[in-house]
Amino acid sequence: MFRTALALLFLLLFALAARGLAADMAAKVQQSCAGCHSLGLLCDKAGGDPAYWRETVARMADSGAQVESAEVGPMAAYLAGLAKAQAPFCK
């Protein structure tokens, strides 16, 4: 019983942390991408192949987007995991 409760607590804390990280990444995407182009472009292309997004984010960082090298993977995963036009910055 104790192990089950502990496991459920861990899952709840993980879900809350993941939700906070997603909100942080949405803000980072807005900050990093909107300086050069419309966020509508991201909304239209959201979701899909993580490799596409990794390449795209890395290319944008090389072109001057304010994205640290350690943020490329998480940002690509965030963008690949979105449903089209469902990101907070698409509304």
Side-chain angles (χ1 to χ4, degrees):
M1 175 81 176
F2 177 74
R3 285 185 181 184
T4 302
L6 188 59
L8 289 174
L9 178 60
F10 176 76
L11 288 174
L12 175 63
L13 291 174
F14 180 77
L16 290 173
R19 184 180 221 177
L21 290 175
D24 290 347
M25 191 54 67
K28 180 65 179 175
V29 166
Q30 282 183 275
Q31 172 193 1
S32 300
C33 303
C36 297
H37 53 76
S38 163
L39 290 175
L41 180 66
L42 292 175
C43 296
D44 292 343
K45 294 184 180 234
D49 182 17
Y52 164 80
W53 282 111
R54 180 179 270 293
E55 179 183 315
T56 300
V57 173
R59 187 176 67 249
M60 295 298 106
D62 289 344
S63 296
Q66 298 300 305
V67 179
E68 300 294 325
S69 60
E71 295 172 319
V72 171
M75 186 176 286
Y78 172 76
L79 291 166
L82 294 174
K84 289 196 184 307
Q86 295 301 312
F89 49 82
C90 295
K91 296 176 182 184

